[in-house]
């Protein structure tokens, strides 16, 4: 199935490569620099000053790829709306960090408000414009659970949860880009098996963009995607999952993202309730890093786990 959409992925990879080579000097010129959080690992101090907002280059590559080799449909339009809406949200967040030279951009409430607005509009597009059924598909068993108006809250949960989870995963060189490429390739198979070629083509473009971005983001990273990229990738996966009615498969295929988010929830909850931490540091990748595992090895282990989860998700479908 993958070979049918390989040209789209290769085109996206090539376009992203060109966007990277041309756009990286611009990011440096605009002084879009990464600010490392003070409570992070000491080994990350050397990353300060690395260009960020690479998500702008990824978004450009995705748009160009779909314009050249993709099919323009209402489904693609709504997926792009959700992705580009989160690109804008992440850009504002990264911009505040860059201008004020701090690691914190938008407040949690401001970011959540933006995500909820985008989620509501996208869900309107699915339910009203595309006339998709408001049901939850249970994989493997083939059951469908009608949600009615509850689908709007469910869709918002999927979008907000996924965008934040991918955002948390973006903490090591190549980690978010690599795991996202793996997840996107899995969605190509899922979409093709469900006879959804437009969604499969979109997922292939996302995979190619992520692989192309790795040319610049693999250790030592020359550029970071920033919230501009990580929020957009999360939006792409959430949108694909909702469009394909594969929300529960997303939990498996995106298991790395889930683990990263759960580790933060457990860490915060444990510290507030018991005054004790479960992990050396959250998100989860920092736990392994502070345990003495080199950054590159942590990334490779997470990639491997992502491949296993992607295969499991494909099989469960």
């Amino acid at each position: 199935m993958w070979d049918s959409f390989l040209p789209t992925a290769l085109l996206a990879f090539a376009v992203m490569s060109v966007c990277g080579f041309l756009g990286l000097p611009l990011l440096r010129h605009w002084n879009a620099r990464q600010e490392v959080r003070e409570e992070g690992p000491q080994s990350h101090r050397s990353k300060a000053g690395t260009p960020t907002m690479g998500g702008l280059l990824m978004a450009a590559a995705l748009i160009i790829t779909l314009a050249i080799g993709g099919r323009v449909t209402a489904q693609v339009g709504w997926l792009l709306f959700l992705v580009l809406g989160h690109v804008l949200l992440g850009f504002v967040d990264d911009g505040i960090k860059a201008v004020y030279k701090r690691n914190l951009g938008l407040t949690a409430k401001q970011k959540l408000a933006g995500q909820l607005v985008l989620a509501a509009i996208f869900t309107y597009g699915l339910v009203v414009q595309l006339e998709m059924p408001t049901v939850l598909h249970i994989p493997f068993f083939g059951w469908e659970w009608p949600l009615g108006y509850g689908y709007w809250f469910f869709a918002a949960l999927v979008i907000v949860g996924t965008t934040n989870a991918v955002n948390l995963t973006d903490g090591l060189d190549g980690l978010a880009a690599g795991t996202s490429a793996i997840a996107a390739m899995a969605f190509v198979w899922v979409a093709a098996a469900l006879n959804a070629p437009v969604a499969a083509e979109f997922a292939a473009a996302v995979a190619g963009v992520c692989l192309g971005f790795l040319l610049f983001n693999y250790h030592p990273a020359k550029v970071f995607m920033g919230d501009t990229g990580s929020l957009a990738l999360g939006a792409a996966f959430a949108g694909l999952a909702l469009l394909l009615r594969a929300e529960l498969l997303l939990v498996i295929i995106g298991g790395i993202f889930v683990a990263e988010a759960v580790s933060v929830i457990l860490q915060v909850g444990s510290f507030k309730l018991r005054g004790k931490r479960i992990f050396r540091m959250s998100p989860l990748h920092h736990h392994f890093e502070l345990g003495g595992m080199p950054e590159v090895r942590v990334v490779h282990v997470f990639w491997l786990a992502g491949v296993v989860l992607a295969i499991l998700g494909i099989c469960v479908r």
Side-chain angles (χ1 to χ4, degrees):
M1 295 181 183
W2 169 255
D3 56 347
S4 300
F5 303 97
L6 184 59
T8 300
L10 291 176
L11 175 62
F13 178 85
V15 173
M16 180 64 237
S17 301
V18 174
C19 287
F21 282 115
L22 296 178
L24 190 52
L26 291 176
L27 292 178
R28 294 196 184 103
H29 177 72
W30 294 336
N31 203 31
R33 305 287 182 175
Q34 176 72 20
E35 298 295 326
V36 177
R37 63 189 181 118
E38 295 179 0
E39 66 273 21
Q42 292 297 316
S43 59
H44 288 207
R45 300 297 181 187
S46 60
K47 299 176 185 285
T50 302
T52 187
M53 297 191 197
L56 291 175
L57 308 180
M58 300 174 76
L62 179 62
I63 293 172
I64 293 171
T65 298
L66 294 174
I68 295 175
R71 280 165 280 194
V72 180
T73 67
Q75 291 180 343
V76 171
W78 282 109
L79 285 171
L80 278 177
F81 164 79
L82 188 63
V83 170
L84 296 181
H86 281 84
V87 167
L88 178 60
L89 184 64
F91 176 73
V92 173
D93 191 40
D94 288 334
I96 293 174
K97 297 173 187 176
V99 170
Y100 293 100
K101 306 298 180 184
R102 65 191 193 196
N103 185 252
L104 298 177
L106 292 172
T107 66
K109 290 183 179 179
Q110 289 171 333
K111 189 179 294 185
L112 177 60
Q115 291 170 314
L116 288 175
V117 169
L118 292 171
I121 298 174
F122 180 76
T123 306
Y124 170 84
L126 291 184
V127 176
V128 179
Q129 296 294 319
L130 299 181
E131 299 181 341
M132 289 190 59
T134 55
V135 299
L136 173 63
H137 178 73
I138 311 297
F140 190 74
F141 297 101
W143 299 340
E144 291 191 343
W145 181 18
L147 297 179
Y149 288 110
Y151 181 82
W152 290 73
F153 298 98
F154 175 70
L157 177 63
V158 171
I159 293 171
V160 173
T162 307
T163 52
N164 286 326
V166 177
N167 182 238
L168 290 171
T169 305
D170 184 31
L172 301 178
D173 295 357
L175 178 57
T179 50
S180 293
I182 294 166
M185 285 187 275
F187 268 108
V188 174
W189 259 283
V190 171
L194 294 175
N195 194 29
V198 172
E201 193 173 69
F202 187 88
V206 172
V209 167
C210 288
L211 290 173
F213 188 71
L214 274 175
L215 293 176
F216 312 94
N217 185 238
Y218 187 72
H219 186 77
K222 300 179 182 65
V223 63
F224 299 132
M225 66 174 68
D227 285 9
T228 310
S230 59
L231 291 178
L233 286 175
F237 295 133
L240 283 167
L242 289 165
L243 187 65
L244 296 170
R245 292 193 296 168
E247 299 91 352
L248 297 184
L249 283 182
L250 175 59
V251 177
I252 301 174
I253 292 174
I256 294 297
F257 310 136
V258 175
E260 295 275 39
V262 170
S263 71
V264 173
I265 295 172
L266 291 176
Q267 185 85 324
V268 173
S270 177
F271 188 75
K272 287 187 175 181
L273 294 176
R274 304 187 305 144
K276 297 181 180 179
R277 293 179 173 85
I278 299 175
F279 306 101
R280 299 182 185 93
M281 184 180 288
S282 63
L284 188 59
H285 54 263
H286 287 324
H287 172 77
F288 292 101
E289 195 178 12
L290 293 184
M293 187 179 292
E295 178 178 350
V296 173
R297 185 177 299 175
V298 175
V299 171
H300 289 171
V301 169
F302 275 52
W303 284 1
L304 179 60
V307 170
V308 174
L309 289 167
I311 294 173
L312 178 61
I314 292 172
C315 293
V316 169
R317 179 205 58 80

